[in-house]
Structures are given as C-alpha cells and as structure tokens.
Amino acid sequence: MKFKHLLLALSLIFTTHFLSAQEENNEEDNTINSQFDEVIEGSNNYQDYKVVKRYKLTQIQKNTVNRIESLKEEIVTSNKTIEEQKLKIENLKAELNNTQNNLNQVTEEKDQISFFGIATDKGTYQTIMWVIVFALVLILIFFIYKYKIDDKYFW
C-alpha cells in the first residue's frame, strides 16, 4: 500500500514539474505585452488596486531586460554592418572614378596618333594622309604628262 502511495506521489511531482516547465517556456516565448496582460489578468483585486505576485513581476522584468539587451546587440551589429557597407561603397566609388579616369585617358590615347611628334586625332591624321596621297598622285600625273610631251620631241 505504501508503494502505491509513493508511486502516486512521485507521478504527481513529475507531472507538476513538467507542467510548470512548460509554463515557464511558454512565458519566455510570449511577447512582453502578452506577459503583462497575463500578469494583470492573473492578479487579485484589493480595494481598487491589483495585487500582483512578485515573482511574476521579476520574471517579466528579466524577460524585458533580456529582450532590450538583445535588441541593443542587434542595433550595434546592424550599425557596424551599415558602417562597413558605407566604407565599402566609398571605396568602390573611388575605385570606379579611378577606373573611369584611366578609361578616358586610354580612349584619348587610342584616338590620337603622333604625326611628326605632334599628337593629332585620327580623323585629322586621315585627312592629312589623303591630302598627301592626292598631292602625290597629282605630281605623278604631272610628271607623266611632262614625260610624254618631252618624249615626243626626242623621237
């Protein structure tokens, strides 16, 4: 008979322990607002005041402080990330400006040709070359014409 009472007592202890453990986990999972609502609803009335159990207030205080600390850590982490990203953006902008300047310089050098030690545009260079070719062709035609005229008199 004592064994049955002992077994019954142990089963009640384990059951209440598991239920209270689940209740504590539930309280931690709830939001702070719902925890306050639960404390207010579970409190007793005395005259026109609410009587709240002290351990519930301390539990809510601990949960609130923990949540505030975790939010502060999140804010600090987010601010660090933002600062790192700002720094990275500034570095990338500077690198982009440098690359753009190098590209402009290379494009200018590519579009220019040194003609008699003077840097000229490709269009100007082509015009000068065609004028020279045209002048040489005219000179050649002039000399061929002169040669034919002079050749008639010698034969």
Side-chain angles (χ1 to χ4, degrees):
M1 183 86 170
K2 285 189 174 190
F3 181 71
K4 287 183 181 180
H5 288 287
L6 182 64
L7 186 61
L8 181 63
L10 286 176
S11 65
L12 284 175
I13 290 172
F14 284 127
T15 306
T16 55
H17 176 70
F18 286 131
L19 289 176
S20 66
Q22 287 178 355
E23 210 172 279
E24 288 175 11
N25 287 339
N26 243 355
E27 285 182 11
E28 290 176 3
D29 292 341
N30 291 339
T31 63
I32 295 172
N33 195 24
S34 66
Q35 289 178 19
F36 275 113
D37 289 340
E38 185 179 313
V39 167
I40 290 171
E41 288 173 8
S43 62
N44 298 325
N45 288 334
Y46 175 71
Q47 293 180 349
D48 210 11
Y49 302 100
K50 287 280 192 176
V51 178
V52 179
K53 295 184 181 179
R54 187 170 205 77
Y55 79 91
K56 286 189 176 184
L57 281 178
T58 56
Q59 184 64 35
I60 290 176
Q61 181 185 18
K62 287 178 186 175
N63 291 344
T64 305
V65 168
N66 288 341
R67 182 66 179 149
I68 290 172
E69 291 301 319
S70 68
L71 289 175
K72 284 181 181 179
E73 288 175 7
E74 282 183 40
I75 290 171
V76 168
T77 304
S78 296
N79 285 340
K80 281 182 182 178
T81 303
I82 289 170
E83 291 301 319
E84 289 172 359
Q85 288 176 347
K86 282 182 182 178
L87 183 62
K88 190 179 276 188
I89 287 171
E90 291 301 319
N91 289 338
L92 289 174
K93 282 182 181 179
E95 189 176 325
L96 178 63
N97 279 342
N98 188 21
T99 304
Q100 190 67 36
N101 291 338
N102 288 341
L103 177 64
N104 290 340
Q105 182 181 2
V106 168
T107 304
E108 285 178 13
E109 289 174 2
K110 181 182 166 213
D111 288 342
Q112 293 181 351
I113 295 176
S114 179
F115 183 66
F116 295 121
I118 300 171
T120 58
D121 290 333
K122 282 187 176 180
T124 307
Y125 176 77
Q126 287 179 346
T127 304
I128 292 171
M129 286 295 118
W130 281 111
V131 167
I132 291 172
V133 168
F134 184 68
L136 289 175
V137 168
L138 286 177
I139 292 172
L140 179 65
I141 291 173
F142 174 75
F143 280 118
I144 290 173
Y145 175 73
K146 279 294 227 176
Y147 177 74
K148 285 192 175 188
I149 291 177
D150 287 341
D151 194 33
K152 286 183 185 179
Y153 293 118
F154 289 117
W155 297 97

